[in-house]
């Protein structure tokens, strides 16, 4: 069995205002109890009873609101997934839900925007084709409406009564 001086374990459960020494339980005390339990075993007492008493003392001195030992945040702990403990996830669940909702909305809006851009490009191509057709029709109509072209058609159709005027037009002034 080891000597009491070899192992020294201190569990501090006090608040920082108290200096952290309010409920110290040292391993030497536990070892003394184990030594006394080995003596008491010889007397007929149960070692389980002593173990339960020791655990009870430890539980009395440890509280939930005690600060946890701080872990250093390293790249290895982040990549290893140590940062995603149950407590951290529980505390930030609404943040995770919000991030997932924003990501889903971003993807949906981007998809809709791309679909709208494809529709706009297709409609611009149709508009360009319609403009070219309108320009072509307009040039054909302008060509057919020229005076020289109309006169040529009239000459080809000799049965028409229309002809070019020999005299200039008269201007008639009507007094009011």
């Amino acid at each position: 069995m080891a000597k009491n001086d070899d192992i020294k374990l201190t569990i501090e459960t006090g608040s920082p205002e108290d200096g952290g020494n309010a409920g110290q339980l040292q391993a030497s005390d536990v070892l003394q109890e184990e030594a006394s339990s080995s003596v008491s075993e010889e007397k007929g007492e149960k070692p389980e009873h002593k173990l339960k008493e020791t655990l009870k003392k430890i539980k009395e001195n440890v509280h939930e609101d005690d600060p946890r030992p701080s872990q250093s945040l390293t790249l290895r702990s982040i990549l290893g997934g140590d940062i995603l403990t149950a407590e951290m996830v529980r505390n930030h669940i609404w943040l995770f839900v919000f991030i997932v909702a924003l990501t889903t909305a971003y993807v949906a809006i981007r998809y809709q925007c791309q679909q709208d851009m494809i529709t706009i490009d297709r409609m611009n191509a149709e508009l360009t084709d319609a403009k070219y057709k309108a320009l072509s029709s307009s040039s054909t109509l302008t060509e057919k409406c020229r005076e020289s072209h109309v006169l040529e058609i009239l000459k080809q159709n000799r049965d028409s009564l229309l002809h070019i005027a020999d005299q200039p037009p008269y201007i008639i002034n009507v007094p009011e």
Side-chain angles (χ1 to χ4, degrees):
M1 189 165 171
K3 293 183 181 178
N4 291 344
D5 296 335
D6 292 345
I7 300 173
K8 185 156 187 161
L9 171 68
T10 304
I11 301 173
E12 297 179 4
T13 59
S15 64
E17 296 89 29
D18 299 341
N21 298 329
Q24 284 189 353
L25 180 66
Q26 294 185 353
S28 60
D29 297 335
V30 175
L31 289 177
Q32 288 175 359
E33 288 181 18
E34 286 180 7
S36 64
S37 67
S38 63
V39 171
S40 63
E41 275 183 13
E42 295 170 0
K43 293 180 183 177
E45 291 182 19
K46 295 181 181 179
E48 297 171 353
H49 179 69
K50 293 292 184 176
L51 181 63
K52 287 182 182 179
E53 286 181 16
T54 306
L55 289 175
K56 185 178 177 183
K57 286 180 183 179
I58 292 173
K59 286 181 181 178
E60 287 174 359
N61 291 327
V62 175
H63 301 287
E64 284 185 24
D65 53 332
D66 287 343
R68 293 188 178 194
S70 64
Q71 296 176 346
S72 60
L73 188 62
T74 62
L75 181 63
R76 183 174 182 180
S77 68
I78 291 172
L79 294 178
D82 297 338
I83 194 168
L84 295 174
T85 61
E87 181 182 343
M88 197 278 295
V89 171
R90 230 181 297 123
N91 289 340
H92 297 97
I93 189 71
W94 292 114
L95 176 65
F96 292 140
V97 169
F98 182 66
I99 289 171
V100 168
L102 284 180
T103 304
T104 304
Y106 174 76
V107 168
I109 289 171
R110 182 175 175 145
Y111 176 77
Q112 184 62 39
C113 182
Q114 285 178 340
Q115 294 300 317
D116 291 345
M117 290 176 72
I118 290 170
T119 303
I120 288 170
D121 288 343
R122 183 177 43 83
M123 293 177 100
N124 278 339
E126 288 178 16
L127 179 63
T128 304
D129 290 344
K131 282 182 180 180
Y132 288 143
K133 285 180 184 177
L135 184 61
S136 173
S137 298
S138 175
S139 66
T140 304
L141 182 62
T142 303
E143 180 185 339
K144 288 186 178 183
C145 291
R146 282 193 186 146
E147 185 179 353
S148 62
H149 193 267
V150 171
L151 289 175
E152 187 178 312
I153 290 175
L154 286 176
K155 285 182 184 176
Q156 288 176 358
N157 297 335
R158 294 189 179 196
D159 56 343
S160 176
L161 299 173
L162 298 174
H163 63 283
I164 298 175
D166 296 336
Q167 299 175 352
Y170 291 110
I171 298 177
I172 302 172
N173 291 327
V174 179
E176 291 183 31

